[in-house]
Structures are given as C-alpha cells and as structure tokens.
C-alpha cells in the first residue's frame, strides 16, 4: 500500500525521492508526489497514475532544487485517485507538507472541528487533516505540536512532515504502520520499507510506536512522547546487494520463484543441528507445548494457505487440534481462546492490518502468540510473544512465492520441534524427516530446471476463461494456492476445490475443454483423486495432473502430467506448489499482464 520516502542530506532530494519511490512501486499505488524545500517554499508536484508520469513532469527530479524533501506513492482509501488527493498535502499557508501511510479513523470529526474554526480543505483525504492540524496547533515547538496533534488522532499512521520555516529537519512518527530510518553517508532517510533505500544504505533504525523522530543533516534524534531521548540499535541489513533488483530476470516474480532453493535453505539449515531442530528464536518449553489446549493458525491470502498445510502438519506431528482461520474472520468471531491456546500468525510483511488485529485480539483473550514473519522489525514481529523469521530476503513481486515456501518450511520445523520436545518422534523418525527437509532445496532446484515443460503447457492454455484446481488434504491446500497464484496475476477466473466436493455442485461448471488441474501427491488419496479426475474427464474436461515421479501412472488418467521428485508425503506441498507457481507466472506472462504489480492489489495490506 502507500509508500513513503523522505530524505535530508547533501544530495539533491528530488531524484533521490523518485528513485526511492520507484523501489516501493511493488507495494501498489495509484498516484505519486514529492515536496521539496527549494530555498523559498515547499515545491509540491503530484500526479495521478504511474510514478513515471510524475518523474517525467520533473525530469526525474532534476527540475526541483533542494536537499530536503518527502515523497509518497498513494493507494487510495479516502477519496478517489487524483492529483489533488495525491500526497504530499500542504497546510493552508503552505508552511507544512505531510505524507502519510495508514488511516486516520476519526478524520471526519477532526476535519469538521477545523472547518468550524475557519480552516478550509482542498482534498477528500484523511491525511490533509494532519497537515491542517499541525498548522492549527503549531505553537513554535514542533515536538509539542506533534504530540498535541497525535493525541487527538485515532487510527494508524506513518508520517513524514517538513516545515518551510525550519527546512533543515524532517519530523517522522509511526503507529500501526511501517516506517524505518536509514543512515547513509550522504544523508538520512525515512522509508516504508528497506528496499526503498537499500542502494544507499544498509544501516537502519526501526522506530517503535509513538516515537517522534527528527532527521537533520548531521544526525537523527528520537524521543518518546514525554520528550525523553530514546536510544536505538542501528541494525545492519545483510541482504545480497542485488536482493531488491531484478538481476537480469524479466520480473521479480520469476526471480523470486528461482530464489526458492536458497531461501528455504537459509530458513532451515541454521535451525537443524545434530539431528534435532533448534529454534533458539522462541521460548516454548516441553511443558508449555504439552499444556497447549488448542492451536489456531491465523493469516490472510497465501499465508492462510500455508496455514491450511500447517493444520495437517501440526495435527499429524503434534497431535493437537488445529483450526485455521482467515484473520479478517477470526478477529470478529469470538474465538474460543484460553491462556492455554497457541495462536500462530503468519505474515510475510508483518504489517497486514487484519492479521495484526487478529493477533491483538488473541493476546487480549490471553493466548500465547507466535508469529512467522519475513520482514525484520515489522509490527507483527514486534508485538508477538515469539517470532520465527523466514529468511526469504526481500519479496518485491506482489504475488508471494518464496515467502510462501519459507513459511511452509518454518511450519515443518515448528511441527517437528514441538513433536521432538514432547517426545512424539523417535530419534530415527526425526533424523529421517530432517534429512528429507534438508533435501527440499535440491529437489525444488530440479523442478525449476524443468520449467520449460510448464512454460510449454502454459502456452497451450493462456487463453482459458476458467481453470479449476482440485486435490485432497494437503493437495487441496496446495490447490488453493495454485489457483490464487494464477488468478491474481493472469486475471483468469479460477477456483480450487477439495476433490471430493466437486460432485456437490461445482461439477456442473465443467464443460467441453474446461481445464482442471489435479494435484495428487498423497499416496493414500491418489486413487480417490483419480476417480474425481475421471468424473471431470467424462464431462469433457482437459486435465493436468501434478504428482510425484513414483506415480507416473497419473499419465494413464490425465492428459498431461508434471511429476516432482519423491519426498515424505507431508513435505509434498513444498514441491507440488512450484509447478503451480510457474504455471501462473507463464500464463500471465503470455497474456502480457503486469505480473509484479497486478491491478488493484498491494503488497502490504495495511488497511482492513
Ligand atoms: C498472494 C499474496 C497475498 C498475501 C496476503 C498476506 O500472492 O501475496 O495473498 O499472502 O496479503 O500478506 P502478508 O503475508 O504480508 O500478511
């Protein structure tokens, strides 16, 4: 969603801002703007549409001179995408410029109050209220003013503010929205996310909620709301230099698909030692695990699909009841949570509004919370009792692939760890499982090496109108993800069904030539799923089977088959999802879709 960049230093700010914003494009946006102090006034340029439009208007930033500025990509919430509603917003006297990510929930009440006191507004946004309030309450001391404003504001925000009359400073603050501070040789940054500034610095502060940050040309100071200086640890980001670049690939998505063997190896290898899982990051003792009455897994989108796999994995290994819930449902349904309940939340960004709120609700009800998160220092990571990081590196494409795979890997580790700690696995069983887990990166690589087969199959089907995915148990969980991958980037209508459920309604949608993708990797269920394949074939369907090398007999039933290497059936989702990711990618690529930034979608969904 909205992207924020601010810069103060020795370089010209506008080109730096445009460059930083371009690296946040993946978050999703519909307008963009910058405000730079040009020696006399705050020069604001904004435009609806792509960042390239804004960049062309100011020749990449060269037209605006000044070394302090703020920039923004907006994903519309309050007010349509338009030049006027784009950020930065100015106060009436044009003294203060503000950028904002988040939602000011009580903005109407605040706006009406200001209007009744003679302030007029030009946009429909909630953000303009902040710019006007800063001006209205300004008493000569910007710290005091910010506290006064923020004490009146309800909702979420990451804010950057500059003052025409004190142009050697950027003021920033966050609550429930992401914001980082970058420390570079040539200046200081604020940004929504690390990739925005990774080409300029790897040294980052992660401010906490309600800390007011002052960026000057010679340093950064951070205060709490009581005006006490706060010490922060400078964190070094050690992602590969090209982690946030396309590195020769046509899209981030295919680059990230190809990075999966390394991402999974990074996520699991350091956590397996001497035939045992070591989760040094969490404090979950054998007694605490035994005491757990129930496990909830709560997440959104693809992370929810990981949770579906997690349910099968944890129930099988840990022998506890596991419920998987969409975060947007969980938070409003009075879940039966006690202080013995473990709530696992899964989130790549660590900022998803519904997941955060669901976790807060679970904590309120007394549950222990464990977060599986990719983004270091994100809100969910900070708020959870325990965190297990996925080491996927930055994920830029909106459609998740490598973070999904690393989340799966973490759930496998967690399941084995909980079973190991409570004596549910013999040493031999554990060694065997870990050997298989460690072999996954190599097996995924061998699937990726055969990606031409999937590309060929995609070339036969990129014009389909409807594509169905079917599978049972773990294969059903993977089908859900395969279907989401395909539809979100190719815009082809697609549904996933538990294979046994088809004849309870959906089979009436199958007609001559309808493509049905059948995932059938579970030995126990293979014949059952094949019966369902036969049912759709006899109604005219064309079928793609996804199974494993030892089940090449799938070719006797399906028109075309893609076989992945053999592994423990429990780990099959890690392998079977790869051809489905590739299929979605190649179909979308052949249709000429904007793969990394599909329409209407945002990478980090920070609104409800
Ligand atoms: C789909 C996708 C989304 C996310 C969902 C949750 O490809 O990426 O469905 O999985 O929005 O996002 P996080 O994991 O950041 O909480």
């Amino acid at each position: 969603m909205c992207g924020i960049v601010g810069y103060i230093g020795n370089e010209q700010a506008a080109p730096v801002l445009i460059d930083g914003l371009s690296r946040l494009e993946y978050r999703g946006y519909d307008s963009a703007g910058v405000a730079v102090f040009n020696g006399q006034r705050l020069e604001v340029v904004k435009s609806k549409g792509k960042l390239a439009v804004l960049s062309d208007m100011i020749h990449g930033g060269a037209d605006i001179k000044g070394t302090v500025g703020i920039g923004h990509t907006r994903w519309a919430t309050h007010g349509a995408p338009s030049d006027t509603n784009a950020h930065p917003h100015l106060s009436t006297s044009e003294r203060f410029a503000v950028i904002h990510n988040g939602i000011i929930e009580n903005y109407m009440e605040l706006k009406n109050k200001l209007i009744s006191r003679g302030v007029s507004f030009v946009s429909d946004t909630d953000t303009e209220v902040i710019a006007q309030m800063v001006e209205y309450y300004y008493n000569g001391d910007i710290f005091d003013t910010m506290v006064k404003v923020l004490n009146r504001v309800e909702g979420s925000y990451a804010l950057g503010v500059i003052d025409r009359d004190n142009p050697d400073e950027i003021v920033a603050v966050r609550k429930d929205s992401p914001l980082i501070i970058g420390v570079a040789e040539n200046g200081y940054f604020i940004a929504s996310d690390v990739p925005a500034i990774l080409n300029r610095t790897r040294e980052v502060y992660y401010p906490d909620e309600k800390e007011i940050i002052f960026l000057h040309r010679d340093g950064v100071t951070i205060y709490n709301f009581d005006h006490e200086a706060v010490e922060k640890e400078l964190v070094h980001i050690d992602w590969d230099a090209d982690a946030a670049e396309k590195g020769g690939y046509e899209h981030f998505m295919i680059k990230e698909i190809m990075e999966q063997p390394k991402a999974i190896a990074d996520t699991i290898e350091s956590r397996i030692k001497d035939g045992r899982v070591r989760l040094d990051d969490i404090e979950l003792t054998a007694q605490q695990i035994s005491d757990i009455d129930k496990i909830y897994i709560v997440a959104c989108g693809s992370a929810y699909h990981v949770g579906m796999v997690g349910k099968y994995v944890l129930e099988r290994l840990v022998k506890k009841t596991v419920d998987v819930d969409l975060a947007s449902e969980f938070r409003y349904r009075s879940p039966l949570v006690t202080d013995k309940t473990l709530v696992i939340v899964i989130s790549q960004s660590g900022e998803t509004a519904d997941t955060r709120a669901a976790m807060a609700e679970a904590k309120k009800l007394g549950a222990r919370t464990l977060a599986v998160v990719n983004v270091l220092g994100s809100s969910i990571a900070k708020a959870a009792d325990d965190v297990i990081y996925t080491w996927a590196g930055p994920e830029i494409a909106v459609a998740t692939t490598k973070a999904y795979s690393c989340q799966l890997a973490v759930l496998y580790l967690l399941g084995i760890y909980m079973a190991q700690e409570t004596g549910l696995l013999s040493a031999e069983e554990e060694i065997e499982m870990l050997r298989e887990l460690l072999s996954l990166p190599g097996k995924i690589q061998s699937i990726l090496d055969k990606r031409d087969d999937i590309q060929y199959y995609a070339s036969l089907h990129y014009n389909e109108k409807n594509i169905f995915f079917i599978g049972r148990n773990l294969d059903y969980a993977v089908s859900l993800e395969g279907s989401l991958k395909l539809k979100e980037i190719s815009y082809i209508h697609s549904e996933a069904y538990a294979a046994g459920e088809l004849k309870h309604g959906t089979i009436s949608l199958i007609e001559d030539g309808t493509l049905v993708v059948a995932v059938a990797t579970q030995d126990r269920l293979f014949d059952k799923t094949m019966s369902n394949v036969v049912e759709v074939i006899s109604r005219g369907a064309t079928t793609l089977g996804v199974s494993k090398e030892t089940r090449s007999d799938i070719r006797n039933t399906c028109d075309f088959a893609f076989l992945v290497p053999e592994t423990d059936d429990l780990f099959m989702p890690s392998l079977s999802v790869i051809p489905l990711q590739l299929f979605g990618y190649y179909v979308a690529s052949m249709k000429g879709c904007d793969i990394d930034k599909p329409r209407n979608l945002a990478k980090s969904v920070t609104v409800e």
Side-chain angles (χ1 to χ4, degrees):
M1 305 218 135
C2 304
I4 281 181
V5 183
Y7 171 73
I8 181 164
N10 307 326
E11 291 185 48
Q12 288 300 311
V16 171
L17 297 176
I18 295 289
D19 179 55
L21 291 176
S22 73
R23 293 166 196 276
L24 290 178
E25 280 189 285
Y26 70 92
R27 294 172 68 86
Y29 70 102
D30 41 50
S31 55
V34 292
V36 172
F37 178 69
N38 66 9
Q40 287 167 332
R41 63 186 177 88
L42 296 173
E43 194 169 339
V44 177
V45 186
K46 350 193 242 186
S47 169
K48 180 181 162 185
K50 292 283 175 200
L51 183 65
V53 178
L54 171 75
S55 181
D56 285 351
M57 285 164 76
I58 53 175
H59 296 98
D63 291 359
I64 308 181
K65 302 289 176 218
T67 54
V68 55
I70 50 181
H72 190 267
T73 45
R74 172 175 187 253
W75 193 85
T77 55
H78 297 69
S82 69
D83 293 358
T84 312
N85 288 334
H87 300 208
H89 288 284
L90 285 170
S91 61
T92 301
S93 74
E94 302 193 352
R95 174 169 178 177
F96 296 99
V98 173
I99 48 174
H100 168 219
N101 175 8
I103 290 188
I104 308 301
E105 281 160 11
N106 60 339
Y107 87 103
M108 240 337 164
E109 177 195 328
L110 297 168
K111 185 170 177 172
N112 287 336
K113 196 159 150 188
L114 289 176
I115 289 172
S116 72
R117 294 175 187 181
V119 178
S120 50
F121 284 77
V122 294
S123 80
D124 307 316
T125 65
D126 51 343
T127 305
E128 193 186 354
V129 169
I130 303 285
Q132 301 294 13
M133 283 174 83
V134 173
E135 179 152 298
Y136 183 83
Y137 288 107
Y138 187 70
N139 60 2
D141 179 335
I142 190 70
F143 177 87
D144 249 32
T145 308
M146 289 305 291
V147 171
K148 215 171 270 174
V149 169
L150 296 172
N151 280 339
R152 286 165 169 76
V153 160
E154 286 163 22
S156 58
Y157 48 79
L159 292 168
V161 181
I162 47 178
D163 174 2
R164 177 197 60 205
D165 296 348
N166 185 14
D168 293 323
E169 182 173 271
I170 297 178
V171 183
V173 60
R174 66 173 283 259
K175 177 180 165 276
D176 295 343
S177 279
L179 185 77
I180 57 152
I181 303 164
V183 177
E185 256 179 33
N186 279 338
Y188 295 87
F189 292 85
I190 54 170
S192 304
D193 205 350
V194 172
I197 56 169
L198 200 59
N199 61 333
R200 302 194 176 259
T201 181
R202 290 167 171 277
E203 309 305 319
V204 168
Y205 289 117
Y206 288 97
D208 281 303
E209 308 259 300
K210 291 183 147 194
E211 289 176 342
I212 303 189
I213 302 133
F214 292 87
L215 282 76
H216 297 122
R217 267 170 243 286
D218 57 356
V220 177
T221 40
I222 305 176
Y223 297 100
N224 62 21
F225 271 27
D226 295 327
H227 213 166
E228 293 156 346
V230 176
E231 288 296 320
K232 286 262 153 225
E233 185 197 349
L234 199 57
V235 178
H236 179 76
I237 305 291
D238 57 6
W239 293 342
D240 290 348
D242 62 356
E245 308 284 342
K246 276 191 216 153
Y249 287 99
E250 198 179 343
H251 299 102
F252 278 111
M253 184 174 173
I254 187 69
K255 176 181 176 248
E256 289 162 5
I257 288 175
M258 298 300 288
E259 282 172 350
Q260 290 179 107
K262 178 173 183 317
I264 295 172
D266 288 350
T267 299
I268 58 178
E269 279 175 5
S270 62
R271 289 164 168 149
I272 298 175
K273 280 185 207 111
D274 307 325
R276 286 175 75 79
V277 177
R278 310 274 150 151
L279 291 182
D280 299 335
D281 356 26
I282 64 171
E283 286 173 29
L284 202 53
T285 61
Q287 190 57 52
Q288 285 166 332
I289 299 169
S290 301
D291 287 349
I292 291 170
D293 62 355
K294 179 169 190 178
I295 300 173
Y296 282 103
I297 305 181
V298 180
C300 302
S302 292
Y304 168 78
H305 298 156
V306 172
M308 295 278 289
V309 175
K311 173 182 167 69
Y312 294 106
V313 172
L314 295 181
E315 285 187 345
R316 201 170 309 167
L317 292 175
V318 190
K319 316 277 183 240
K320 305 245 181 216
T321 305
V322 182
D323 260 10
V324 193
D325 240 315
L326 294 164
S328 52
E329 290 293 310
F330 180 88
R331 61 186 289 196
Y332 293 120
R333 76 168 177 82
S334 314
L336 299 176
V337 168
T338 71
D339 59 0
K340 293 201 163 30
T341 307
L342 176 67
V343 175
I344 301 172
V345 298
I346 307 174
S347 175
Q348 186 283 130
S349 62
E351 301 293 346
T352 303
D354 282 318
T355 311
R356 292 184 56 178
M359 189 172 86
E361 180 66 19
K363 282 188 96 160
K364 207 165 77 195
L365 295 169
R368 184 185 181 96
T369 54
L370 188 160
V372 179
V373 176
N374 194 43
V375 176
L376 206 71
S378 54
S379 305
I380 289 175
K382 282 185 169 173
D385 295 316
D386 286 303
V387 186
I388 307 179
Y389 281 106
T390 46
W391 298 120
E395 192 177 64
I396 307 291
V398 163
T400 182
T401 52
K402 62 174 180 171
Y404 168 94
S405 286
C406 290
Q407 289 163 353
L408 275 189
V410 165
L411 283 170
Y412 289 134
L413 282 175
L414 183 64
I416 297 172
Y417 173 80
M418 290 171 80
Q420 150 197 303
E421 293 301 298
T422 47
L424 289 169
L425 273 184
S426 70
E428 296 73 41
E429 283 170 326
E430 179 162 9
I431 285 170
E432 179 55 24
M433 290 196 104
L434 294 179
R435 199 176 57 76
E436 277 306 318
L437 199 56
L438 287 165
S439 75
L440 291 179
K443 289 175 178 170
I444 292 172
Q445 187 58 54
S446 74
I447 300 170
L448 294 171
D449 291 344
K450 291 198 292 181
R451 61 191 179 283
D452 286 0
D453 295 356
I454 294 291
Q455 187 170 16
Y456 165 71
Y457 194 73
S459 75
L460 305 178
H461 290 284
Y462 71 95
N463 273 328
E464 302 291 346
K465 293 278 169 286
N466 299 292
I467 299 181
F468 294 93
F469 288 73
I470 59 171
R472 287 169 180 258
N473 284 199
L474 287 163
D475 292 332
Y476 170 49
V478 173
S479 298
L480 288 166
E481 178 60 7
S483 171
L484 177 60
K485 275 303 76 95
L486 175 79
K487 69 186 139 197
E488 68 180 332
I489 57 171
S490 74
Y491 315 139
I492 293 177
H493 170 253
S494 173
E495 305 285 344
Y497 289 97
E501 188 62 17
L502 276 183
K503 50 187 157 302
H504 299 289
T506 317
I507 203 161
S508 66
L509 293 169
I510 306 293
E511 46 188 43
D512 235 12
T514 304
L515 178 59
V516 177
V517 180
V519 185
T521 66
Q522 305 291 301
D523 274 328
R524 216 161 48 88
L525 299 167
F526 186 84
D527 292 342
K528 301 268 173 217
T529 305
M530 285 310 105
S531 305
N532 302 125
V533 172
V534 171
E535 285 162 9
V536 294
I537 289 175
S538 57
R539 269 90 186 164
T542 300
T543 51
L544 164 66
V546 174
S547 190
K548 50 191 177 181
E549 280 158 6
T550 47
R551 293 315 307 233
S552 58
D553 52 330
I554 195 170
R555 295 207 160 98
N556 301 336
T557 313
C558 293
D559 302 308
F560 188 93
F562 189 92
L563 305 181
V564 301
E566 179 63 65
T567 188
D568 187 318
D569 276 4
L570 205 57
F571 300 148
M572 268 298 164
S574 284
L575 302 184
S576 56
V577 76
I578 308 292
L580 304 189
Q581 294 171 342
L582 287 166
F583 181 64
Y585 172 77
Y586 286 124
V587 164
S589 163
M590 282 163 207
K591 287 188 75 183
C593 299
D594 190 355
I595 293 182
D596 287 335
K597 288 173 275 182
R599 68 183 178 215
N600 307 336
L601 291 178
K603 181 68 181 162
S604 172
V605 185
T606 50
V607 298
E608 187 177 343

